[in-house]
Amino acid sequence: MSEATRSIGWVGCGRMGTAMARRLVLAGNDVTVTNRTLAKTENLADLGAKVVERPRDLALCDIVFIMVSANDDLTEVISGPFGLLSDPEHAPGIIVDCSTVSSDTSQEVRTSCAQRGTAFLAAPVSGNPKVVAAGRLTLAVSGTVDAFQQVLPYFEQLGHGVTYVGDGEVARLVKICHNMMLGIVAQAMAEITVLAERGGIKRSDWLAFLNDSVMGSTFSRYKTPAFVNLDFKATFTPTLLRKDFDLGMAQAKSLSVPMPLSSLCTEIVKSAIGAGYIEEDFAVLLLEAARGAGLSLEAENIEIDDGLGQS
Amino acid sequence: MSEATRSIGWVGCGRMGTAMARRLVLAGNDVTVTNRTLAKTENLADLGAKVVERPRDLALCDIVFIMVSANDDLTEVISGPFGLLSDPEHAPGIIVDCSTVSSDTSQEVRTSCAQRGTAFLAAPVSGNPKVVAAGRLTLAVSGTVDAFQQVLPYFEQLGHGVTYVGDGEVARLVKICHNMMLGIVAQAMAEITVLAERGGIKRSDWLAFLNDSVMGSTFSRYKTPAFVNLDFKATFTPTLLRKDFDLGMAQAKSLSVPMPLSSLCTEIVKSAIGAGYIEEDFAVLLLEAARGAGLSLEAENIEIDDGLGQS
Amino acid sequence: MSEATRSIGWVGCGRMGTAMARRLVLAGNDVTVTNRTLAKTENLADLGAKVVERPRDLALCDIVFIMVSANDDLTEVISGPFGLLSDPEHAPGIIVDCSTVSSDTSQEVRTSCAQRGTAFLAAPVSGNPKVVAAGRLTLAVSGTVDAFQQVLPYFEQLGHGVTYVGDGEVARLVKICHNMMLGIVAQAMAEITVLAERGGIKRSDWLAFLNDSVMGSTFSRYKTPAFVNLDFKATFTPTLLRKDFDLGMAQAKSLSVPMPLSSLCTEIVKSAIGAGYIEEDFAVLLLEAARGAGLSLEAENIEIDDGLGQS
Amino acid sequence: MSEATRSIGWVGCGRMGTAMARRLVLAGNDVTVTNRTLAKTENLADLGAKVVERPRDLALCDIVFIMVSANDDLTEVISGPFGLLSDPEHAPGIIVDCSTVSSDTSQEVRTSCAQRGTAFLAAPVSGNPKVVAAGRLTLAVSGTVDAFQQVLPYFEQLGHGVTYVGDGEVARLVKICHNMMLGIVAQAMAEITVLAERGGIKRSDWLAFLNDSVMGSTFSRYKTPAFVNLDFKATFTPTLLRKDFDLGMAQAKSLSVPMPLSSLCTEIVKSAIGAGYIEEDFAVLLLEAARGAGLSLEAENIEIDDGLGQS
């Protein structure tokens, strides 16, 4: 197949899936989408995407991306009775899974794909729809080099950084590693921000300095409004973060890697959940840090740029 | 004094001091420098700086910057017999200290300056000469707003991010906060990188992904070569990092702020020093993490951009 | 069955099993023993125990105790072709398992026993043969109250403290809890002992004080010789301790209980293993603590009572 | 002086001081007491102690014990205008300080004593009046061997374990080490007890097992009623415990000893204080552990022996 004529399928039009597929549609590709609840495909249809009813209807696509919620969903959309592989005549050339699933499930569907001659790439993403819209999504991809090379032009449309990290399911571990990093940095920001405030420094001043410094990151910048203005509307909940830490610590156990900061952070996140922070953004780690310091925080109510202006 | 005619003094021409003063000289300012060992002023003299023998000889400067090693040095260059304030007739308009000193020492010299009508700004910096050369130095400044406004144009020549954080010595705390952040991120990178490697991922791949992601920072990028190629030539030693953690934990004690990650990281850094890592870069935290995992690391010997191309 | 005439079976004559069965034989009970390697039953036979070839040969016993190494062994001696339940005509009245097995395996064999009308008690023990010989073994037991009451007289011969902790497999958790306590106390002793020594206090003096104080325990006393004289012949290895911490942290995960000290201790034990301490006693935590302090320990070579004189 | 005729002085009749002096009075010694608030000496007077108004009035005593609250109090009762050394003609032969003071203060008063020919012993105690009454008080003593030998018979009346730990102020460090051990064991008990309860085990059952086991200590037994019945009337507050951890971590810093568990425990205690637990017993660590697990504890209301029946 030549790049010019490749047809793209997309399974899963939740918030993240829609934000991602939207980039492929706007880039002018031939994209056909589907979703369990078809109504959720409307936004993409309005932008020019074709819509089909079932994953099976994408069997003729060259490349099919998947963005679903959990292990069982992935198995269903690939190997289920109306799944991508359910048409005995046809199967997609390459299936790319961007969901967060276990390495075991990933391995199973990879095997099923292989039996049909379909290449499978694991390309789990982290981040949120605002990050996607800002063009800041990064992808770690594992599978065969050949399949990766073929999908690369589309990955580059999805985000700004794509890294091929090896065979099999290793991209799953890369994503977990990334999210543990994110959790530790968030907790570090929380406890250090409380120290700064107790020392007489406004949170907005300390974080402005941090963001300008060599430690500043897209993440530190986009969490700053929550820390300054105490707006904890969720982009990522403590419960989701804990799930990643649990997966990471399970790997640390089976690979016999001591991870003192990561394990401590796991317990701190667990404790925040036990204290009742379930639905809020995980930036509530700041509130728990303040509680331990006997500090009552006030929103500074300053307009802060989150650094995610769309690109 | 009008901005155009301001004369700048500089005390302290070690590696960091020279790298910083160099930027002011190259920007075309009227800069006069001095150093305990005069030979170290040669590089700056070659670029056009004037050289004097003693801090006292800078008493007529509008603004004098200081970059020395420790508490006693700062006291000496300001209040000593040949210090900036030792001329009974004249004293600099503003003294700006960029050194790492205790809040107590900072407070003492501030008082001495005030008695002579000299404004004093605390502007501690972190980073290393390469960061300075790359224009990535950031400064947190505390003191009076008026003095800050006057020095601002020069701060902006020194680096790319300057944040006024309040009165008195609070900039000292900001710097400590920054360096605790740096230590925690380094340890997180160390233990997570070992996990990734044990999971079959090349360090260079994992770190490339990290650096591209929302967690990537100037810091994570410039530490990557050390992590990948195991080059531990010091830019910042475990001993210096421990000093900042000790100062931070002392503040955490006096301000009653629980800092679980910071305190654990303090102990980990202490342990690396006890194990014999004194002169190396603090990136040796990677070696300690690998030891605990029973993992023997090999240099990947890949050319890696540290992201600090000069600007 | 009246207490006077109860016949006791014993499966498993390794070091711990022999030490325990020995107490029942010496107390004058009618004890029949078996072991995969029959030669290991000789010591007990010399004391008056009867020996049979296979667990199946104990099917007529009123109470059968089991002390084997792992999950599979327990399943084999109960449900295997020559197991305790393999005789279609007869099955023991009560089976008491003292091994360290998973809750899942425990639940499975409990079900198998129930189908044959045999009561099953989980009675995992910790400690070592010296502790058993000293009469200091403690037992946590779970299962039905009735079965517990019947076996109680024999439990009291085995050790000095028996606690009924509830239904089902909860005794397994009690043992894990106990061993996490043991690991934390050992690490606390390690790091605090290093502090004392660096402060100029002999290990033997500090530990003598500790043992006399309200914090002194049978455990702290019997670990003292290893800490003072650096004799690390294993009674319990870091690998075994790590297994208990892993089980405990898995429970902490599934029950959502934050355990900061326990998780940190898990990583410290993991790290000692990664550093190469596999076969030694877990008192080597002292060596790791000393390494981090840059301290070279010397054996004090003092005769120390371990407090385990036999009773 | 012959032992038979030694006169004993006692300064400080608070709760601990009274409990301790009481033992010396009841043992038939010639004891003279004083206290800033004289009314507090009444209990001891009723038992036969003589009362004087000021420490100075004890200048003729052979041995004077001191049990006061803080650094300044110790300095006052020794070197103040009406202190033990304020009589130019006479000074006690030996002064024994049982208070909790800094090593610096201890060193200062030791020097003052030496100038008057008075031997000074540091003999800090931990525990509470119930422990004293039960005869379970332990003492670590530092100073000269000769002075220690002279006071030994009285130390043995005060408690049941006396350890000479060396010259100078090292007994201060021993006490801090002991109390860090106590804090870590309390936190370990807290988090493990919450795990056991979430796993379906009654706190009273788990703790009964623990207390009977090799891990059981006088401490674990006397904390059990608080853990089971949630009675947090203070015997030792989080604030006092934090003071000891702060002193211990300061030593760990100056002696460069990494103490991961101790430092983490310091932060946990700090956090409990920040959360508002100021006046309660430090067994409230259990409440904080339960909060993190989302567990609401109920008192079991069982009568539990604290193991401190008087001896």
Side-chain angles (χ1 to χ4, degrees), chain A residues 242 246-247 249-250 252-260 263-264 267-268 270-271 274, chain C residues 242 246-247 249-250 252-260 263-264 267-268 270-271 274:
Chain A
R242 193 196 145 182
D246 283 345
L247 289 168
M249 292 312 299
K253 178 186 158 187
S254 66
L255 297 171
S256 290
V257 177
M259 303 191 76
S263 70
L264 179 52
E267 303 308 298
I268 291 170
K270 223 192 259 181
S271 193
Chain C
R242 192 194 147 185
D246 283 345
L247 289 168
M249 293 312 300
K253 177 186 160 190
S254 67
L255 297 170
S256 290
V257 177
M259 303 191 76
S263 69
L264 179 53
E267 303 309 298
I268 291 170
K270 224 191 258 180
S271 192

Side-chain angles (χ1 to χ4, degrees), chain B residues 1 11 13 25 41 56 69 84 98 114 124 170 179 190 218 223-224 243 246 260 265 285 308:
Chain B
M1 57 188 176
V11 180
C13 303
V25 175
T41 61
R56 174 187 206 148
S69 297
L84 291 168
C98 299
V170 294
N179 280 13
T218 301
K223 274 298 155 212
T224 293
K243 186 181 152 194
D246 283 345
C265 218
L285 291 171
L308 292 180

Side-chain angles (χ1 to χ4, degrees), chain D residues 141-159:
Chain D
V141 185
S142 60
T144 66
V145 172
D146 177 61
F148 172 72
Q149 291 294 353
Q150 291 186 53
V151 184
L152 183 54
Y154 305 97
F155 284 140
E156 288 176 339
Q157 292 168 3
L158 282 172

Side-chain angles (χ1 to χ4, degrees), chain B residues 46-85:
Chain B
D46 290 348
L47 296 173
K50 286 173 277 185
V51 176
V52 294
E53 283 191 31
R54 300 166 307 188
R56 174 187 206 148
D57 303 327
L58 301 172
L60 284 166
C61 288
D62 296 319
I63 301 171
V64 179
F65 289 86
I66 301 174
M67 185 66 182
V68 293
S69 297
N71 290 341
D72 289 351
D73 301 316
L74 181 65
T75 305
E76 177 75 13
V77 302
I78 291 182
S79 307
F82 302 104
L84 291 168
L85 303 178

Side-chain angles (χ1 to χ4, degrees), chain B residues 68-75 78 97-110 120-124 142 168-176 243-244 246-248 250-251, chain D residues 253:
Chain B
V68 293
S69 297
N71 290 341
D72 289 351
D73 301 316
L74 181 65
T75 305
I78 291 182
D97 176 51
C98 299
S99 317
T100 295
V101 299
S102 73
S103 290
D104 287 350
T105 298
S106 188
Q107 175 59 45
E108 282 167 27
V109 297
R110 181 182 299 279
F120 181 80
L121 293 175
S142 59
E169 319 313 326
V170 294
R172 306 291 180 189
L173 180 56
V174 167
K175 191 217 151 170
I176 291 168
K243 186 181 152 194
D244 285 323
D246 283 345
L247 289 168
Q251 290 280 332
Chain D
K253 177 186 159 189

Side-chain angles (χ1 to χ4, degrees), chain C residues 7-229:
Chain C
S7 56
I8 306 294
W10 192 279
V11 180
C13 302
R15 287 176 67 235
M16 270 299 272
T18 297
M20 291 168 70
R22 186 175 171 277
R23 294 184 70 89
L24 295 185
V25 175
L26 292 180
N29 297 291
D30 169 18
V31 181
T32 308
V33 307
T34 191
N35 192 61
R36 192 161 43 187
T37 308
L38 271 182
K40 290 193 180 169
T41 61
E42 280 173 20
N43 283 339
L44 293 167
D46 290 347
L47 296 173
K50 287 174 276 184
V51 177
V52 295
E53 283 191 30
R54 301 167 304 188
R56 173 185 207 151
D57 304 326
L58 300 171
L60 284 166
C61 287
D62 296 319
I63 301 171
V64 179
F65 289 86
I66 301 174
M67 186 66 184
V68 292
S69 297
N71 290 341
D72 290 352
D73 301 316
L74 181 65
T75 305
E76 177 75 13
V77 302
I78 292 182
S79 306
F82 303 103
L84 291 168
L85 304 178
S86 64
D87 179 338
E89 306 289 318
H90 305 287
I94 302 174
I95 291 177
V96 183
D97 176 49
C98 299
S99 316
T100 295
V101 298
S102 72
S103 290
D104 287 350
T105 299
S106 188
Q107 174 60 45
E108 283 166 27
V109 297
R110 182 183 299 281
T111 303
S112 301
C113 287
Q115 289 163 351
R116 294 296 301 277
T118 296
F120 181 80
L121 293 175
V125 298
S126 58
N128 59 51
K130 275 200 86 171
V131 168
V132 175
R136 296 279 322 162
L137 189 72
T138 44
L139 300 108
V141 185
S142 60
T144 67
V145 172
D146 177 61
F148 172 73
Q149 290 294 353
Q150 290 185 54
V151 184
L152 184 55
Y154 304 98
F155 284 139
E156 288 176 341
Q157 292 169 3
L158 282 173
H160 91 121
V162 185
T163 311
Y164 176 74
V165 291
D167 286 331
E169 319 312 326
V170 294
R172 307 292 180 189
L173 179 55
V174 167
K175 192 214 150 170
I176 291 168
C177 287
H178 174 272
N179 280 13
M180 288 202 290
M181 192 82 198
L182 183 151
I184 293 173
V185 168
Q187 171 61 23
M189 283 174 66
E191 64 188 59
I192 296 174
T193 296
V194 170
L195 180 69
E197 178 155 351
R198 286 294 297 258
I201 300 156
K202 288 173 67 180
R203 297 194 298 279
S204 50
D205 286 339
W206 147 245
L207 291 168
F209 175 77
L210 182 72
N211 289 333
D212 272 347
S213 83
V214 297
M215 302 312 299
S217 63
T218 300
F219 174 75
S220 70
R221 279 183 282 274
Y222 78 62
K223 274 298 156 213
T224 292
F227 272 49
V228 170
N229 294 326

